[in-house]
Amino acid sequence: MREFMNYITNAFYGATGWNEDNKYNELNATSRELIDFPLPRGLRLTLSSLATPHFATSYQLGSVGVVDGSISYLHSSIPLTHIAAQSDKIPLPALLRCYRRLHDLRSPGQHYMLDADPLSGLPPSPQSAQALLGAVSDAAVANGTLAGGNTDQDQSKYTHSLLYGRLYLPKSLLEGMIIKRFTQALQVQVRAVSEQSLRNGGTILGLVQYDKGNYGLEGLYSTDGGLLGFRGLYNFGGDASSSTCDPWTPAPGENNNNNNGNGQAGEKERIYGRFSVGGELYYGTLNKSGGMSLGARFATLPAHRGTPLTATLTINPLMGNINATYALLAREYCSLATRVEFNVYSYESEWAVGMELWSNRRPAGFLLGASPSNDPEPEPQPPRKKERSFQAKMEWRLDDPEPEPEPAPKTAPKSESDKKKNDEYKGVLKARLDNNLRIGLLWEGRAKSLIFSLGTGIDLHKLGEPFRSLGLEVQYSS
């Protein structure tokens, strides 16, 4: 489960038009979240609030043998009025979904293009696009376009900042983060941790990020070991090949049914995706050691009409590690991922699989395969013929005709909001398994106004005590 402050930080990125997917360290984000999702330990309660469009707070209290907690504050210079902050209104996929569809690339001088609906694959409506961007004029939405020129008014949108601080108790560990947007393509982050047990009393990490759509660059420096690093990611294919192609508009000769002349879905067979290649170099100035890695990714774009999928390959030539992952959105409610790692020097290998299964049923109905709230309405039975009364039989006559019953009032058809409410997801089941026969199970959902996460870790090698961890996490926000 993503924390409330991470949810607000992602809202800040969306409001300022920053694409977090266009970074090298996010290459394996989909498979990592599907396989390496964290399991709660003990009992943890989080109370959060978006007090004003610029200010958010969060208080956390947990118990894992020792009672601990934290206090968090966040300030955004851009008003975050386009998001739902109440825990009973936040869309669960925004907090819980692991499969990540790529954003469409934006060209310099254009507004950030929103990704499609992760379930339907359709482009966002102008109204929803305005709600997410929060800075587009009404005239632009009325005209059905979000693209804009590189004007002074547009430039002011990209000069915002975010301040975040968190104090952990009782350890008195303090962490902070500053995000400053200078231009449409340039962003700087500074993160710091202060704790007495750390070397020099703490550490500072600085990041300089440069995103031009087709490629993204990132430089970093950390006071921990004097680490210097450089990362880069280059995109080609799909929307990165042509900035004039509108993936939502059918090509000439295409019909809206995606069928060719033989009536077969020919367009669905064509994979529309983007290739990304990149690498990183880092060097420790204090310990005089360095490292590097190379990676590649192919991921389908929101305009792809087939099964969404993501495949990655990363190589660390110095250590001899090869990592390959494959993830797909098999159905709108089911995502699968697999990962294989191999070392060419030691010949050791590891594998892991993960899945998430969404349900609009309650937990009991999901496990039993039935849901009273979603059962189809029974068909009306034809009226049974009434038997002749005993008095009429004795008098050799028919019963007197009964007055016709008044017709039942017609029920109004369900509105779109009611249908959407009934189809809303109520929870998700996540599971993983690795080559060491370790299983992770996690059920996340919403009960009234509370978002909960219940998980356990199981080790099949130790059947005498298979449960290695058990935890419950509850979040409430207003």
Side-chain angles (χ1 to χ4, degrees):
M1 180 190 301
R2 295 181 180 91
E3 293 188 353
F4 182 78
M5 287 304 186
N6 292 337
Y7 173 70
I8 298 298
T9 303
N10 290 336
F12 171 81
Y13 289 139
T16 57
W18 186 261
N19 186 1
E20 273 289 282
D21 294 328
N22 203 24
K23 299 193 303 182
Y24 180 76
N25 61 329
E26 296 293 327
L27 205 66
N28 296 328
T30 296
S31 59
R32 183 173 62 246
E33 294 190 7
L34 281 170
I35 298 176
D36 298 327
F37 53 85
L39 294 175
R41 297 179 63 88
L43 180 63
R44 191 162 297 275
L45 174 65
T46 304
L47 302 177
S48 307
S49 174
L50 185 62
T52 69
H54 295 272
F55 188 73
T57 60
S58 180
Y59 307 95
Q60 189 175 94
L61 182 65
S63 175
V64 188
V66 179
V67 177
D68 60 359
S70 66
I71 303 174
S72 307
Y73 296 97
L74 183 146
H75 177 268
S76 170
S77 62
I78 185 172
L80 304 178
T81 58
H82 58 280
I83 62 171
Q86 296 80 9
S87 54
D88 58 342
K89 297 180 181 179
I90 296 178
L92 288 183
L95 287 178
L96 310 179
R97 181 172 292 278
C98 291
Y99 190 91
R100 296 170 58 172
R101 301 285 296 264
L102 291 182
H103 294 287
D104 289 307
L105 293 178
R106 56 174 173 79
S107 300
Q110 290 184 337
H111 286 295
Y112 175 67
M113 179 180 284
L114 300 170
D115 60 347
D117 187 339
L119 300 183
S120 65
L122 298 176
S125 63
Q127 290 78 11
S128 63
Q130 181 198 31
L132 289 173
L133 284 174
V136 183
S137 64
D138 295 335
V141 175
N143 295 331
T145 176
L146 293 177
N150 194 7
T151 63
D152 295 337
Q153 184 178 1
D154 294 332
Q155 284 293 345
S156 64
K157 174 186 173 182
Y158 304 111
T159 58
H160 290 285
S161 60
L162 181 141
L163 305 176
Y164 168 75
R166 186 171 187 175
L167 175 64
Y168 293 87
L169 299 171
K171 297 183 296 183
S172 298
L173 186 149
L174 179 64
E175 72 173 13
M177 178 177 65
I178 300 175
I179 302 176
K180 176 61 179 178
R181 190 77 175 273
F182 289 95
T183 65
Q184 182 181 6
L186 181 62
Q187 178 176 277
V188 174
Q189 290 191 31
V190 178
R191 304 176 187 177
V193 177
S194 175
E195 213 273 329
Q196 190 174 12
S197 62
L198 297 176
R199 182 168 52 182
N200 299 325
T203 181
I204 299 177
L205 173 66
L207 299 169
V208 179
Q209 301 169 333
Y210 188 76
D211 181 12
K212 290 296 288 184
N214 283 353
Y215 64 91
L217 305 175
E218 186 176 27
L220 62 91
Y221 174 76
S222 174
T223 58
D224 186 12
L227 182 66
L228 286 171
F230 178 79
R231 303 171 184 155
L233 188 70
Y234 179 76
N235 304 296
F236 61 95
D239 57 349
S241 299
S242 174
S243 59
T244 60
C245 176
D246 184 4
W248 306 110
T249 304
E254 262 184 46
N255 53 26
N256 294 330
N257 296 328
N258 303 330
N259 294 337
N260 54 24
N262 299 328
Q264 299 176 352
E267 176 61 25
K268 196 171 182 178
E269 300 297 329
R270 184 175 67 88
I271 297 180
Y272 181 71
R274 182 197 309 157
F275 287 93
S276 303
V277 295
E280 66 175 350
L281 294 170
Y282 51 90
Y283 179 75
T285 57
L286 297 183
N287 52 17
K288 308 300 181 182
S289 64
M292 64 172 298
S293 69
L294 302 172
R297 177 185 64 193
F298 174 79
T300 55
L301 295 172
H304 175 57
R305 297 183 175 95
T307 301
L309 59 90
T310 302
T312 66
L313 176 66
T314 56
I315 301 174
N316 188 327
L318 298 182
M319 305 300 296
N321 290 327
I322 300 177
N323 183 304
T325 69
Y326 182 77
L328 60 86
L329 191 65
R331 291 290 187 271
E332 65 178 20
Y333 54 84
C334 180
S335 301
L336 306 171
T338 179
R339 179 179 63 204
V340 177
E341 299 182 46
F342 180 73
N343 189 282
V344 297
Y345 299 143
S346 63
Y347 298 105
E348 293 181 352
S349 62
E350 295 180 352
W351 59 264
V353 293
M355 60 156 285
E356 65 174 359
L357 186 62
W358 288 83
S359 173
N360 55 3
R361 304 171 180 174
R362 297 180 179 88
F366 175 77
L367 297 176
L368 298 177
S371 176
S373 61
N374 292 334
D375 287 341
E377 297 182 359
E379 297 181 359
Q381 299 291 336
R384 297 180 59 182
K385 186 177 181 182
K386 185 178 180 181
E387 187 178 355
R388 197 164 48 138
S389 65
F390 178 77
Q391 183 68 24
K393 291 180 181 178
M394 294 296 295
E395 297 178 0
W396 292 85
R397 64 177 178 84
L398 298 176
D399 288 324
D400 296 333
E402 296 181 355
E404 297 182 359
E406 297 181 359
K410 295 184 179 180
T411 59
K414 293 184 178 180
S415 62
E416 293 296 330
S417 60
D418 294 336
K419 293 181 181 178
K420 185 176 180 181
K421 186 176 181 180
N422 292 335
D423 295 338
E424 182 182 2
Y425 289 116
K426 293 182 173 62
V428 56
L429 174 66
K430 301 179 182 180
R432 66 165 177 253
L433 172 67
D434 60 18
N435 59 302
N436 295 319
L437 297 183
R438 291 177 298 187
I439 300 175
L441 297 176
L442 185 65
W443 173 262
E444 297 178 315
R446 178 160 39 211
K448 301 297 182 180
S449 297
L450 301 177
I451 300 176
F452 66 89
S453 177
L454 177 64
T456 180
I458 303 174
D459 190 350
L460 297 182
H461 280 312
K462 301 178 181 179
L463 296 180
E465 297 179 355
F467 294 97
R468 313 307 300 172
S469 65
L470 180 65
L472 173 64
E473 183 177 345
V474 180
Q475 290 189 15
Y476 174 78
S477 60
S478 61

